[in-house]
Amino acid sequence: MWKCILKSSSFLNKHLKLQIGNGKSARFWHDKWTTQGSLCVRFPAVYRACAQKFASVAELIEKGRVNCAFRRRLSGVEQFCNELGPCYGFEEGEDTVSMEGDFSVQRCYEMQLSDAVEVSFNKFLWKQFIPSKVNFMLWATFHNSLPIKDMLQHRGMEVQDSLCVLCKECDESTDHIFLHCPYTFGIWSHFMKAFGISWVSPANLLQCFEAWRLNALTGRAKKIWWNIVYAVFWHI
């Protein structure tokens, strides 16, 4: 079912047309308010360095030019601003969304009714040997529903800052706090060394679980191995 939802959502986004009014409700990086698509996709390096990832168009455009704060010096910022060009034409009215092309509600409905394929992370959930609270936390994590700072900001909630509560160095996201944070990486490395394994931190949680399956352990050792991954996620 989740794959069907993603498929129909992709179809919907493809036909969305955002008309900028005052620019206050359109997200600068994530919404498709330019003719070439979302800026976070077109300029990923600049997006990662930006300190205002969920700001509106109105907040980051000043006198027709981008006025964005960056966490570090970035060589591609000037090229990004030049390619984006001047952004004039704000109006007093609200931003509006319309549909274009061959969009129809019927096509979206048909996609929802199509054969569903189980999402790959489902096989790691609801294990009998794992406490329900751990299974539920991972379910919320895989569905991007865990109240991490970047998700709270996405929902429009005000947070004191966007930095990781553990390292205070990078933006707090699910993958960062569970895998990439220096504090977290030290915890994973401790258990890896105990098994005599050298590793590189996976890009995301799903890759971490997929990599966890690639072992030749059997019996009690394999059971301990799987208990570790769930225990570490829960205690972090």
Side-chain angles (χ1 to χ4, degrees):
M1 175 59 74
W2 185 252
K3 186 173 182 179
C4 292
I5 294 174
L6 291 178
K7 185 177 179 181
S8 59
S9 176
S10 177
F11 171 74
L12 181 63
N13 289 334
K14 179 182 177 181
H15 293 81
L16 285 177
K17 181 180 179 181
L18 179 62
Q19 182 66 40
I20 295 294
N22 55 25
K24 293 182 179 180
S25 60
R27 295 177 299 171
F28 180 84
W29 291 104
H30 298 275
D31 289 333
K32 294 190 293 184
W33 63 279
T34 67
T35 57
Q36 295 178 305
S38 303
L39 295 177
C40 63
V41 176
R42 294 172 55 194
F43 305 96
V46 180
Y47 169 72
R48 286 194 296 269
C50 175
Q52 301 154 283
K53 289 183 172 57
F54 296 97
S56 67
V57 173
E59 289 174 318
L60 297 189
I61 299 294
E62 183 177 340
K63 296 180 180 180
R65 301 295 292 179
V66 177
N67 182 20
C68 184
F70 294 93
R71 297 193 181 282
R72 60 182 184 276
R73 294 181 62 86
L74 199 66
S75 59
V77 172
E78 184 175 350
Q79 179 184 354
F80 159 71
C81 293
N82 291 335
E83 186 170 338
L84 187 61
C87 305
Y88 295 107
F90 286 172
E91 302 174 357
E92 294 184 359
E94 298 289 333
D95 303 326
T96 59
V97 176
S98 59
M99 296 296 179
E100 59 181 1
D102 59 345
F103 170 81
S104 70
V105 176
Q106 178 65 28
R107 291 191 62 186
C108 280
Y109 179 71
E110 290 172 354
M111 289 180 181
Q112 295 288 349
L113 295 180
S114 62
D115 292 335
V117 178
E118 288 293 325
V119 180
S120 54
F121 62 68
N122 282 346
K123 58 179 172 286
F124 300 116
L125 299 176
W126 317 118
K127 303 294 184 181
Q128 292 184 355
F129 65 94
I130 302 301
S132 297
K133 59 184 180 182
V134 179
N135 278 312
F136 181 78
M137 183 202 72
L138 285 172
W139 178 88
T141 301
F142 283 129
H143 284 82
N144 294 321
S145 298
L146 207 64
I148 302 295
K149 286 184 178 179
D150 67 343
M151 178 52 62
L152 295 177
Q153 288 181 310
H154 177 68
R155 292 175 178 174
M157 300 181 65
E158 293 186 6
V159 296
Q160 184 175 0
D161 60 65
S162 61
L163 296 179
C164 171
V165 68
L166 298 177
C167 68
K168 298 294 184 181
E169 296 178 359
C170 300
D171 288 342
E172 183 178 292
S173 65
T174 301
D175 292 329
H176 171 80
I177 202 167
F178 282 115
L179 294 172
H180 306 146
C181 174
Y183 175 83
T184 305
F185 185 80
I187 297 175
W188 288 110
S189 297
H190 171 79
F191 289 101
M192 291 297 180
K193 289 179 180 178
F195 279 87
I197 298 174
S198 299
W199 79 313
V200 176
S201 180
N204 53 57
L205 296 182
L206 180 57
Q207 288 186 15
C208 180
F209 274 86
E210 292 288 359
W212 213 259
R213 302 170 60 194
L214 304 178
N215 67 82
L217 300 174
T218 58
R220 186 168 180 269
K222 186 174 183 178
K223 183 177 180 180
I224 294 175
W225 174 255
W226 275 108
N227 282 332
I228 287 174
V229 66
Y230 290 99
V232 170
F233 274 118
W234 172 253
H235 286 287
I236 289 176

